[in-house]
Amino acid sequence: TTSPVTVTVTGAAGQIGYALLFRIGAGQLLGPDTPVRLRLLEIPQAVQAAEGVAMELDDCAFPLLDGVDVSDDPRTAFDGANVALLVGARPRGKGMERADLLEANGGIFGPQGRAINDVAADDVRVLVVGNPANTNALIAASSAPDVPRSRFTAMTRLDHNRALSQVARRAGVPVAQVRRLSIWGNHSASQYPDLFHAQVGDRPGSDLAADRGWLTDDFIPTVAKRGAAIIEARGASSQASAANAAIDHVRDWYAGTPEGDWTSAGIWSTGEYGVPEGLISSFPVTSDGRDWSVVEGLEIDPFSRERIDASVAELLEEREAVRALGLV
Ligand code: NAX
């Protein structure tokens, strides 16, 4: 295509925004043939900072960047959006109860979902990065009744990429030789990184998983708690790697996943693998360039079943909590 694609990024003055926007401007989201128009959404107090980021984007003179607008109004920022990256969210403050956190995020993702419903392009595709990502995506999807549910996704690609890297290191193979890993459930410490269907170099992932001590005491918790380990080491949360994962997610959604491989994304469940319908849960998925599909026919043994069920139970609890608040 030669007509520009409109990409809206919320939380544009934040840390992930800063790691993300320049890569989008450089053409890494939609490829070297697709010009991009960026629309940045921030809260009023951060609009000035977002304008500074827009100045720097100008100063890159990216040939593919067709323009940058900054707004604090969702109805302006999502106008004509083909891609919506919902990065800005309310972080959990000290002593904040979960219900307060969910309510504060409902106040963000409800109005943003309504704005997407009303003013985004007909083909809008949404990725929620801001935490709690799955439930924020559920709130946004529920607030956008005219947009197909399947267009709302939550990011578990960072978890997926973290798992790829851990497995490659363990097996002593290049990361490109690890395929068909799966992240199931919630983007939280309860997530389940599944090795049983993977291919690792010339070995099946189940070979590695046979070392149950490593699997349960090392691999699974290392992936699930990686975000905390990054905070501990850097004194700041994952930013460049989160931005990279967002780019991977959208790029694969548009370009399609490679033959013989799959990735992981939080998508609207229609009941696959016993995950209740209407949760946004992570699954092994492929994209045909338009829609995500859950990979079918995987055998789930009791070890995996128990862990998938535990993470899905957490998603159900979150849904109950936002239902009680009238947010979905
Ligand atoms: P920052 O606090 O640096 O930036 C967030 C930005 O969002 C701020 O500039 C803030 O003003 C803005 N914002 C808040 N409410 C907004 C609203 N209603 N509309 C528009 N903008 C709004 O956080 P950052 O490090 O960039 O992280 C952003 C989010 O990503 C957090 O919720 C974080 O928890 C989440 N993450 C999700 C990950 C995932 O894998 N799904 C991994 C990385 C990251 O932890």
Side-chain angles (χ1 to χ4, degrees):
T1 68
T2 45
S3 58
V5 171
T6 298
V7 179
T8 301
V9 178
T10 78
Q15 299 297 331
I16 294 175
Y18 199 71
L20 179 62
L21 289 164
F22 298 88
R23 293 189 58 184
I24 298 176
Q28 294 177 5
L29 190 70
L30 300 168
D33 301 322
T34 308
V36 169
R37 159 163 289 275
L38 276 170
R39 294 198 194 284
L40 314 187
L41 179 67
E42 260 295 351
I43 53 175
Q45 309 89 285
V47 160
Q48 194 191 332
E51 276 166 354
V53 177
M55 287 163 68
E56 280 202 76
L57 284 162
D58 282 348
D59 295 349
C60 294
F62 287 125
L64 287 171
L65 189 55
D66 193 64
V68 186
D69 302 301
V70 180
S71 177
D72 61 6
D73 174 11
R75 300 185 72 90
T76 304
F78 290 114
D79 187 27
N82 305 106
V83 181
L85 302 174
L86 310 191
V87 179
R90 177 69 195 272
R92 189 189 282 259
K94 262 212 167 74
M96 204 174 182
E97 297 292 334
R98 188 176 63 171
D100 300 332
L101 178 76
L102 293 171
E103 188 162 28
N105 279 295
I108 295 173
F109 290 87
Q112 290 185 1
R114 282 191 286 283
I116 288 168
N117 188 71
D118 295 348
V119 303
D122 287 342
D123 68 350
V124 66
R125 304 186 196 200
V126 183
L127 171 63
V128 176
V129 175
N131 281 319
N134 299 55
T135 296
N136 288 342
L138 183 67
I139 293 169
S142 305
S143 308
D146 304 328
V147 180
R149 308 309 208 193
S150 59
R151 305 284 188 73
F152 285 86
T153 63
M155 189 167 92
T156 55
R157 183 60 173 263
L158 179 54
D159 308 300
H160 181 94
N161 288 346
R162 286 166 170 166
L164 287 177
S165 164
Q166 291 300 321
V167 168
R169 177 169 305 183
R170 172 76 177 179
V173 301
V175 79
Q177 287 183 22
V178 185
R179 289 181 296 144
R180 301 199 293 269
L181 272 175
S182 316
I183 304 291
W184 297 88
N186 201 0
H187 168 68
S188 76
S190 76
Q191 67 177 264
Y192 173 52
D194 178 356
L195 201 48
F196 286 93
H197 310 286
Q199 183 72 30
V200 185
D202 52 14
R203 297 163 69 190
S206 51
D207 259 24
L208 290 173
D211 183 344
R212 288 303 158 99
W214 172 76
L215 183 67
T216 55
D217 301 336
D218 190 341
F219 174 65
I220 294 172
T222 298
V223 173
K225 297 179 187 163
R226 186 69 163 182
I230 299 287
I231 292 173
E232 178 77 25
R234 292 182 77 222
S237 60
S238 309
Q239 290 151 4
S241 55
N244 178 69
I247 291 198
D248 284 352
H249 177 113
V250 174
R251 193 200 52 224
D252 281 358
W253 196 351
Y254 273 87
T257 40
E259 199 58 45
D261 200 0
W262 64 63
T263 185
S264 303
I267 66 170
W268 185 274
S269 170
T270 55
E272 295 90 347
Y273 293 99
V275 177
E277 192 173 349
L279 289 178
I280 295 208
S281 183
S282 187
F283 289 99
V285 290
T286 55
S287 169
D288 60 6
R290 293 182 65 86
D291 299 299
W292 291 113
S293 315
V294 175
V295 174
E296 286 175 10
L298 302 178
E299 248 186 76
I300 308 296
D301 74 356
F303 179 93
S304 297
R305 186 77 257 169
E306 187 188 330
R307 284 164 176 81
I308 294 170
D309 288 350
S311 194
V312 167
E314 186 182 60
L315 286 173
L316 276 170
E317 279 175 33
E318 290 183 16
R319 183 171 72 180
E320 280 316 303
V322 293
R323 263 197 190 144
L325 293 163
L327 297 170
V328 301

